Amino acid sequence: MTEPPVIISEHQVSRLLHYGELVPRLEEALAKFSRRDVSEVIQPVRATLPLKKVNGYMCLMPAYMGNDGILSTKFVGVYNREKGSKLPSVQATVVLLDPESGSMKAVIEGNVITCMRTAAVSAISAKLLMPAQAKVLAILGTGKQAQSHYSVFTEMFSFQEVRVWGHRKEGMDRFRSSINGPVTLCDSAETAVTGADVIVTVTSSSEPVLLGHWVKPGAHVAAVGACRPDWREMDDVLMKEAVVYVDSREGAMVESGDIILSGAEVFAELGEVISGGKPALREKTTVFKSLGLGIEDAVSAKLVFDQWKSTTNHP
């Protein structure tokens, strides 16, 4: 008989998962993904089921990393909530499986994993693409993803100023109270991004909130929101003038409204830059369009599970 799966809670994931161990594992996984070697990685574009009655989507994100012995699936609900709703806009669970038997090894709360792996990949894009001696970071958005991006960007880099803007004052006040460090709250998106070296967009907007003529030449943008083909965070000016990097070409052409609606050309996947196949054009204005990959969840879940085993003396 197989053992019942371990249940790992949000609190435990927060305690076990750290950027210092996560970032290098994600870099390795992204490089493997872009090599398109099916002995290393098999990951289809996520399947999406519309939930029209609740204004949301249920997404399924399976991934198999054969040489690493990792098989997992993330179930994630993404909702377009009405203003004032106290329900979460994202709710995720990651199931870690034994590749040989197919049995469940662990059921892991996925919200912390989603926030941390997404922010870590954005930080990897900045490490590769942001201008040298970047001094100003701007974050558009004030939710959980904004908080995780603030955490990893201030942990990995030394910015002189971090600016934040959100649609609502209560969101910005909540953001300020949630983070441990200095921040400048801005009264408009334009004020936040003007002169910024690195810009992170983590909004729930379906219309552009970042306009190209605001963006400093040579700045790097890590765009995380707008994960549907008819949603956007960036306008045509930015998308057509910038050098565009993605996590997955195939995923971007199916899911990214920023790319599909602008007709922007994808220059490279981030994994191609990590492995040396494509250059990191730091001197250019760059956009990294992040949609999230199942391998990112798989690597994160395996790290959480291994840490759980080591801290509980589990055989």
Side-chain angles (χ1 to χ4, degrees):
M1 290 180 61
T2 59
E3 294 184 7
V6 175
I7 308 295
I8 303 180
S9 69
E10 179 175 346
H11 173 74
Q12 289 173 302
V13 175
S14 297
R15 181 174 56 83
L16 296 169
L17 196 57
H18 303 283
Y19 288 118
E21 291 130 356
L22 180 59
V23 166
R25 286 168 170 81
L26 288 171
E27 289 176 324
E28 183 180 356
L30 289 166
K32 288 179 178 179
F33 172 78
S34 291
R35 285 198 288 268
R36 298 297 190 275
D37 183 345
V38 294
S39 70
E40 289 193 311
V41 173
I42 300 175
Q43 184 209 269
V45 174
R46 83 187 105 215
T48 303
L49 178 70
L51 308 174
K52 292 185 178 180
K53 285 191 176 181
V54 290
N55 204 18
Y57 300 87
M58 173 58 69
C59 305
L60 180 66
M61 301 174 65
Y64 174 52
M65 304 180 72
N67 293 343
D68 297 293
I70 305 175
L71 177 63
S72 79
T73 296
K74 183 167 82 172
F75 303 88
V76 56
V78 180
Y79 301 90
N80 191 3
R81 301 296 188 192
E82 294 182 359
K83 182 179 178 180
S85 173
K86 297 195 183 320
L87 293 173
S89 57
V90 177
Q91 194 73 28
T93 304
V94 183
V95 176
L96 192 63
L97 304 155
D98 182 280
E100 186 174 358
S101 68
S103 60
M104 282 193 294
K105 296 165 68 174
V107 178
I108 306 172
E109 196 282 333
N111 292 340
V112 173
I113 284 177
T114 299
C115 283
M116 290 186 66
R117 61 78 152 158
T118 304
V121 172
S122 294
I124 292 167
S125 81
K127 183 172 79 168
L128 296 168
L129 299 170
M130 73 180 183
Q133 281 128 23
K135 296 177 181 178
V136 179
L137 167 67
I139 300 174
L140 304 185
T142 58
K144 294 291 186 183
Q145 283 287 3
Q147 294 170 24
S148 61
H149 277 74
Y150 180 95
S151 295
V152 70
F153 273 72
T154 54
E155 180 178 321
M156 288 180 60
F157 312 114
S158 297
F159 293 101
Q160 292 180 3
E161 184 182 15
V162 180
R163 305 173 190 161
V164 172
W165 170 83
H167 284 287
R168 294 185 289 275
K169 182 181 183 300
E170 59 268 28
M172 290 195 286
D173 291 340
R174 186 170 57 249
F175 178 89
R176 189 207 294 272
S177 65
S178 71
I179 54 100
N180 182 23
V183 65
T184 302
L185 299 182
C186 298
D187 58 6
S188 71
E190 182 178 2
T191 301
V193 305
T194 298
D197 301 291
V198 180
I199 303 166
V200 174
T201 61
V202 280
T203 73
S204 58
S205 180
S206 58
E207 300 292 334
V209 294
L210 179 60
L211 306 185
H213 71 271
W214 298 344
V215 177
K216 173 182 176 180
H220 174 60
V221 179
V224 174
C227 58
R228 299 295 303 149
D230 55 347
W231 295 359
R232 300 189 65 173
E233 287 187 306
M234 300 171 286
D235 71 351
D236 284 352
V237 173
L238 177 56
M239 292 304 298
K240 290 182 177 179
E241 290 184 353
V243 180
V244 178
Y245 297 79
V246 296
D247 44 19
S248 163
R249 277 191 178 86
E250 187 180 8
M253 297 313 299
V254 173
E255 297 180 326
S256 172
D258 283 307
I259 290 172
I260 295 166
L261 298 176
S262 69
E265 181 181 347
V266 173
F267 176 72
E269 291 181 345
L270 205 58
E272 293 176 302
V273 180
I274 293 168
S275 62
K278 286 290 182 76
L281 301 177
R282 287 182 183 271
E283 70 281 6
K284 304 284 189 180
T285 303
T286 55
V287 166
F288 169 59
K289 179 57 201 173
S290 170
L291 288 162
L293 302 177
I295 58 164
E296 297 166 8
D297 302 304
V299 166
S300 303
K302 178 66 160 49
L303 178 57
V304 168
F305 183 65
D306 289 345
Q307 296 284 59
W308 175 84
K309 286 195 298 183
S310 67
T311 57
T312 57
N313 297 317
H314 192 274

